[in-house]
């Protein structure tokens, strides 16, 4: 089942099921989070909860997308209770990266930290069921205020040195009233980052991730397919500037999803009942690695056929939120 959240022309929210170019309203539903919490309380699945409520009137999906009335497929009424995070060095990556790892495999001391963590993931990122494997690189990205709806532009702050896409799969979670995380499903994501800043020094990784992101437009319930092959491309003035294949799924990863989820939710502070978590699972496809430098007006388009409509976002300059020496005093 593919779910979306959207707005009516009067601004009211609805939840819908994607059905052959139409969006059919889930009767009485205003947000996916509430649907999920009700499903948890009822002891059923998200799909069962939708079936219990039933489907109502239909809307044209293309029109909702073109008028930018599609919302992220999971959010929280209080953005401070939505945590966006992610893991890196989780995908097998290019053959050259693997070759480099193999060439250095006999001398770990000579490796960069990046290659060392990647090697650990290859060796111990897929443990046996019920066991914890090696922990991945982890980063904090922001709260719900950084989430950009599908179709909208990513704000580019004045201090940014790059505006790079990161096509990824994202897991969408709600913490139940029992303090347990529940995965609702997955969505295509763009984990927008500043790669120039990160390249200066790996310790700047934390800074480089404090940017906006987007995911959706659809939440796909069920398990993630083992192999996913989609595309990531950048349009400039309506023409394709860059395009590459985007692979994901555990067949293309050195960590299992279960291991990545464990190493995120093992922290008690991430188990607050009612909270929403969006967790990006990493990528091996970046236009930055091919020497592409994006600019305002460019458009990102990330697609995976199994996840429905592509995720499209632009880039737009944003005013500074804060200036040097402007701290107030009391």
């Amino acid at each position: 089942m593919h779910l979306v959240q959207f707005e009516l022309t009067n601004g009211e929210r609805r939840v819908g099921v994607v059905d052959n170019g139409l969006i059919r309203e889930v009767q009485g539903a205003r947000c996916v989070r509430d649907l999920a919490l009700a499903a948890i309380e009822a002891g059923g699945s998200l799909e069962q909860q939708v079936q219990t409520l039933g489907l109502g009137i239909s809307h044209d999906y293309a029109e909702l997308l073109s008028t930018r009335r599609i919302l992220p497929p999971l959010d929280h009424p209080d953005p401070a209770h939505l945590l966006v995070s992610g893991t890196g060095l989780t995908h097998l990556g290019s053959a050259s990266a693997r070759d480099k790892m193999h060439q250095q495999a006999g001398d770990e001391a000579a490796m960069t930290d990046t290659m060392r963590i990647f090697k650990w993931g290859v060796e111990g990122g897929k443990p046996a069921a019920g066991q914890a494997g090696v922990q991945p690189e982890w980063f904090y990205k922001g709260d719900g205020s950084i989430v950009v709806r599908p179709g909208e532009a990513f704000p580019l702050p004045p201090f940014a040195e790059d505006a790079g896409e990161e096509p990824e799969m994202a897991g969408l979670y709600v913490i139940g009233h029992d303090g347990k995380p529940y995965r609702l499903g997955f969505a295509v994501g763009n984990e927008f980052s500043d790669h120039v800043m990160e390249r200066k020094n790996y310790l700047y990784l934390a800074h480089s991730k404090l940017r906006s992101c987007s995911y959706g437009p659809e939440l796909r319930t069920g398990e993630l397919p083992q192999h996913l092959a989609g595309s990531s491309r950048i349009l400039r003035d309506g023409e394709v500037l860059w395009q590459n294949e985007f692979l994901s799924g555990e067949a293309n990863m050195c960590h299992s999803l279960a291991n990545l989820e464990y190493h995120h939710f093992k922290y008690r502070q991430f188990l607050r009942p009612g909270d929403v978590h969006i967790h990006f699972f990493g990528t091996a496809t970046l236009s930055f690695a091919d020497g592409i430098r994006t600019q305002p007006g460019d458009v990102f388009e990330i697609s995976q056929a199994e996840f429905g409509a592509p995720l499209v976002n632009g880039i737009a300059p944003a005013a500074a939120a804060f200036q040097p020496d402007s701290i107030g005093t009391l």
Side-chain angles (χ1 to χ4, degrees), residues 103-115:
Q103 290 164 11
Q104 295 180 334
D107 184 8
E108 184 166 312
M111 291 184 183
T112 63
D113 286 340
T114 295
M115 293 309 301

Side-chain angles (χ1 to χ4, degrees), residues 38-194:
I40 294 167
E41 291 300 309
S45 69
L46 187 58
E47 292 186 12
Q48 289 170 336
Q49 189 65 24
V50 170
Q51 292 166 357
T52 297
L53 294 175
L55 302 180
I57 63 174
S58 299
H59 302 263
D60 183 81
Y61 192 10
E63 181 185 2
L64 291 175
L65 286 169
S66 65
T67 55
R68 299 181 181 176
R69 288 190 282 134
I70 293 289
L71 300 166
L74 178 64
D75 56 7
H76 194 290
D78 180 355
H81 286 273
L82 186 154
L83 176 74
V84 185
S85 57
T87 50
L89 303 173
T90 54
H91 285 63
L92 295 176
S94 67
S96 61
R98 292 198 299 274
D99 286 344
K100 181 179 179 183
M101 181 194 72
H102 295 155
Q103 290 164 11
Q104 295 180 334
D107 184 8
E108 184 166 312
M111 291 184 183
T112 63
D113 286 340
T114 295
M115 293 309 301
R116 189 174 293 114
I117 290 179
F118 179 67
K119 178 175 179 286
W120 294 345
V122 171
E123 294 173 346
K126 293 184 176 181
Q131 296 184 13
V134 66
Q135 63 184 0
E137 174 196 44
W138 181 95
F139 60 86
Y140 168 76
K141 191 157 182 71
D143 63 16
S145 65
I146 69 160
V147 177
V148 173
R149 72 171 65 185
E152 295 287 353
F154 292 123
L156 184 65
F159 56 80
E161 300 180 60
D162 180 42
E165 88 297 338
E166 292 205 15
E168 307 187 19
M169 302 311 303
L172 281 58
Y173 307 85
V174 167
I175 309 301
H177 295 304
D178 55 2
K180 177 181 176 180
Y182 291 83
R183 187 203 311 131
L184 282 60
F186 300 89
V188 172
N190 189 338
E191 196 268 292
F192 186 64
S193 298
D194 189 330

